[in-house]
Amino acid sequence: MPIPDRFRDQCRLLRIATLVVFFGLALLLSLGFVGLPWLRMDGLPDGLSRQAVLLTLVQVLPSLGYLWALWAVQRALGDVAAGRLFHPTVAQAMRRIGVGVLVGALLSVFAVSNLSRMILDGRGSYLYFDLSGIVLGVVGAALVLLARLVDQARALQAELDEIL
């Protein structure tokens, strides 16, 4: 079944929008990590402390998973726009997006709170019960499992095509 041109055009546009969001978020993330040197807040020391750098690195960790998922989305949209609708593209995209979201969510819920606690010498909580992080983790895991289902459906379709 051929893919309608309108749908392919929409995929191209959404891919461009996804790339803009990806690079915008990556830029904001890097600016937040590096800091804007021309802004100086009163009361803060001139140099960055080791503790502040480590905390910033820890807080960036979940964003890397989410950015990876965004990159997988734009790749999948590019494949669909090119006409590769039910090649391994869909299952592979679902798997990559699911893994990216799941890793980001797990890092957000478990790693950030515990690593921050270790960096701050035991101050803080053991777990960060962020509803959105937990929901994203479940959605990411579901996408990985659904990708297996799509793989099995594709294999079954190939087997049926051989029979006919």
Side-chain angles (χ1 to χ4, degrees):
M1 180 173 137
I3 302 172
D5 288 338
R6 184 169 185 229
F7 179 71
R8 291 170 69 169
D9 290 340
Q10 290 171 339
C11 286
R12 283 187 197 96
L13 286 174
L14 187 55
R15 181 182 187 196
I16 291 168
T18 304
L19 280 171
V20 168
V21 169
F22 174 85
F23 286 115
L25 290 175
L27 178 67
L28 287 173
L29 190 63
S30 64
L31 285 177
F33 178 69
V34 173
L36 301 174
W38 55 85
L39 290 179
R40 185 173 184 281
M41 295 181 198
D42 293 331
L44 292 178
D46 288 335
L48 287 175
S49 69
R50 180 174 176 241
Q51 194 176 45
V53 171
L54 285 175
L55 279 174
T56 303
L57 280 173
V58 165
Q59 291 171 349
V60 165
L61 286 176
S63 303
L64 299 177
Y66 298 141
L67 285 175
W68 192 61
L70 266 179
W71 189 257
V73 167
Q74 70 82 27
R75 285 185 59 189
L77 288 169
D79 286 343
V80 172
R84 294 184 292 270
L85 188 57
F86 278 106
H87 279 63
T89 299
V90 174
Q92 189 178 50
M94 288 173 68
R95 189 173 295 108
R96 287 180 178 165
I97 294 164
V99 167
V101 170
L102 178 61
V103 166
L106 287 174
L107 287 171
S108 176
V109 172
F110 296 107
V112 171
S113 58
N114 287 316
L115 290 174
S116 297
R117 187 175 181 280
M118 287 172 33
I119 292 168
L120 295 172
D121 298 323
R123 291 174 289 168
S125 62
Y126 288 100
L127 293 176
Y128 179 59
F129 293 103
D130 176 28
L131 180 62
S132 61
I134 293 168
V135 169
L136 281 173
V138 171
V139 169
L143 281 173
V144 172
L145 290 177
L146 289 173
R148 286 181 52 195
L149 181 65
V150 171
D151 277 336
Q152 290 173 352
R154 195 172 38 88
L156 183 61
Q157 180 64 44
E159 189 176 319
L160 287 174
D161 287 344
E162 285 179 12
I163 292 172
L164 296 175

